[in-house]
Amino acid sequence: TERESLRESNLAHQKTCCKIFADKRGSTAVVEHQITPDADAKYWDTIRRVHTDRLDIAQLKESLGIAVDDIRIKHDVLVDEAAIQEAAFRKFLKDKISQATNILLPGATMPPVNAEEKKKPKRRLPKGTWEAFEHEDDDSQKELRDSRVHYIRLRNKLKRQQKDIEGRERGRGNSKDIGMHLIDYEQLKIENTNLNEKIEERNEELLKLRKKATTTIHILTHVKEKLEFVRNENVGLQRRVSSMEETLTSLRDRLNQSKRERDHFANENIHMREKMPMIGSEDLLLDYEVRKKEIEKCRINIVDLTNKHHQLVQWINTHQPLLETMKSSVK
């Protein structure tokens, strides 16, 4: 029948959902339980109870909606009447306050009135007195309404909680339901334990990842700082290399010039050796130096002797007449 086919289709979909949920929980294998007649009867009993509960909830909602509408109608009438009375009361107060004179403030005493003071014109209240009073009264009414609403909410919450407690106490009388609840509780407790273990594992993994990320950030920051330092050092070294290249270029130019001068002097030395073969021989040079010194001495002696000879010649020339006279006298 159609009902049987729908039942089989529903069971197949439930098995699929169980497999999916088991895979999500990380189970390695899905154990397919055999459907017993008791389990089937229990399942359809639960379905019927759910259906009846839903119908009861719908009927309760409908009845409560009707009751709420009735209460709202009565409440709207009361609210309108209260608003009319409040407006009339405010108008009455406003008229009386506008006509009032010499009103004492709270805590003040009435001074004695003389005949002269009675003749003085009476002073009216300031213009802003009624507005201030009305504003203060509105604030008080608003605070009172909020307090009443809060009180009603708390009272309804207390009633709901009392009903829940009574329902739980009634449900404790059924041992079968207690057993099923305990079984469901144990299963949920086991699943909760497994999930807590998985959460702890994930938290540990997350903590490790955070530590790793923190370490990576520190390393990256250190690497960036070192890279910046290396860049600055590289700029300084590049400048130093540029200055050293300039110095090296100047030294290379000087070296090339020195090489050219060396080649020039080497060529001149070769030509001088060709012209003067004794250059390059230490013995000949020493002998040449000795002979040069002797020649210099001889030249000096020659000059001295020449001078002496010249002096002697002069002396002879000066004494020649005397010699001639002496020779003649001797004869």
Side-chain angles (χ1 to χ4, degrees):
T1 61
E2 185 178 359
R3 184 176 179 182
E4 295 293 334
S5 63
L6 290 173
R7 184 187 297 177
E8 292 177 359
S9 177
N10 189 11
L11 291 174
H13 287 306
Q14 286 183 2
K15 287 182 180 180
T16 305
C17 291
C18 289
K19 289 180 181 180
I20 292 170
F21 290 145
D23 292 337
K24 285 184 178 179
R25 289 195 297 266
S27 60
T28 57
V30 178
V31 179
E32 297 185 357
H33 299 282
Q34 296 294 331
I35 300 172
T36 60
D38 294 334
D40 192 8
K42 183 180 177 182
Y43 172 74
W44 288 112
D45 187 18
T46 306
I47 294 295
R48 281 193 296 273
R49 279 190 297 169
V50 170
H51 181 65
T52 54
D53 290 339
R54 286 180 179 177
L55 291 175
D56 293 338
I57 290 169
Q59 291 176 0
L60 182 61
K61 282 184 179 179
E62 187 176 358
S63 62
L64 290 175
I66 294 169
V68 167
D69 291 335
D70 295 336
I71 294 169
R72 187 174 294 158
I73 292 168
K74 294 178 182 179
H75 180 70
D76 290 338
V77 172
L78 293 174
V79 168
D80 294 336
E81 186 178 356
I84 292 168
Q85 291 179 2
E86 186 177 359
F89 178 70
R90 284 179 178 273
K91 185 178 179 182
F92 174 75
L93 284 177
K94 187 175 181 180
D95 294 336
K96 292 299 180 182
I97 288 173
S98 62
Q99 295 174 4
T101 58
N102 296 331
I103 295 178
L104 291 175
L105 295 174
T109 59
M110 185 70 182
V113 180
N114 299 326
E116 295 179 358
E117 291 180 355
K118 287 183 180 180
K119 295 179 181 179
K120 292 181 181 179
K122 295 180 180 181
R123 291 176 295 177
R124 301 289 181 183
L125 291 174
K127 294 182 179 180
T129 304
W130 167 250
E131 286 78 3
F133 174 76
E134 189 176 9
H135 183 69
E136 185 177 356
D137 187 62
D138 290 337
D139 292 338
S140 300
Q141 292 294 331
K142 184 178 179 181
E143 186 177 357
L144 181 60
R145 285 195 297 270
D146 293 338
S147 299
R148 286 176 178 173
V149 171
H150 184 63
Y151 169 72
I152 292 168
R153 287 178 179 175
L154 291 174
R155 186 178 62 187
N156 293 331
K157 186 177 180 181
L158 178 61
K159 288 181 180 179
R160 287 196 300 270
Q161 289 179 354
Q162 287 177 353
K163 288 181 181 179
D164 291 338
I165 291 170
E166 290 176 358
R168 288 177 183 177
E169 288 179 353
R170 291 195 200 99
R172 288 176 183 175
N174 193 349
S175 61
K176 188 176 180 181
D177 293 337
I178 292 172
M180 294 302 298
H181 285 308
L182 289 174
I183 292 169
D184 294 337
Y185 175 73
E186 291 297 329
Q187 290 179 354
L188 292 173
K189 190 175 180 181
I190 293 168
E191 291 180 358
N192 191 16
T193 305
N194 294 328
L195 291 174
N196 287 329
E197 290 177 357
K198 290 181 181 179
I199 289 169
E200 290 179 358
E201 291 177 358
R202 294 294 175 86
N203 289 330
E204 289 178 357
E205 292 178 358
L206 183 61
L207 183 61
K208 289 180 182 178
L209 290 174
R210 284 179 180 174
K211 289 182 180 179
K212 190 174 181 181
T214 305
T215 306
T216 306
I217 290 169
H218 288 315
I219 293 171
L220 182 61
T221 305
H222 179 69
V223 169
K224 285 182 178 179
E225 292 176 355
K226 189 173 182 179
L227 181 61
E228 189 68 24
F229 175 75
V230 170
R231 283 178 180 173
N232 295 330
E233 189 177 4
N234 192 13
V235 171
L237 290 174
Q238 285 179 355
R239 292 176 182 174
R240 187 176 177 184
V241 168
S242 299
S243 62
M244 290 181 70
E245 285 181 353
E246 292 177 357
T247 306
L248 182 61
T249 304
S250 62
L251 291 174
R252 283 177 180 173
D253 295 335
R254 290 177 62 185
L255 179 62
N256 293 326
Q257 186 177 0
S258 299
K259 285 181 178 180
R260 287 194 294 271
E261 290 178 356
R262 183 196 64 185
D263 295 335
H264 178 69
F265 289 143
N267 293 327
E268 285 185 354
N269 192 9
I270 290 169
H271 290 302
M272 288 177 69
R273 284 183 179 179
E274 289 178 354
K275 291 179 180 179
M276 299 176 69
M278 63 189 234
I279 294 174
S281 178
E282 293 181 358
D283 296 334
L284 292 175
L285 288 173
L286 290 172
D287 184 65
Y288 175 76
E289 291 293 330
V290 170
R291 288 182 178 276
K292 186 177 179 181
K293 289 179 180 179
E294 290 178 355
I295 290 168
E296 289 293 331
K297 289 179 180 179
C298 291
R299 284 180 179 176
I300 292 168
N301 291 327
I302 289 169
V303 171
D304 293 336
L305 292 174
T306 303
N307 292 328
K308 190 174 181 181
H309 178 265
H310 183 67
Q311 290 176 0
L312 291 172
V313 170
Q314 287 181 354
W315 186 82
I316 289 169
N317 291 328
T318 53
H319 293 85
Q320 187 69 29
L322 180 60
L323 291 173
E324 289 294 333
T325 56
M326 289 176 67
K327 283 181 179 180
S328 59
S329 63
V330 170
K331 288 179 179 181

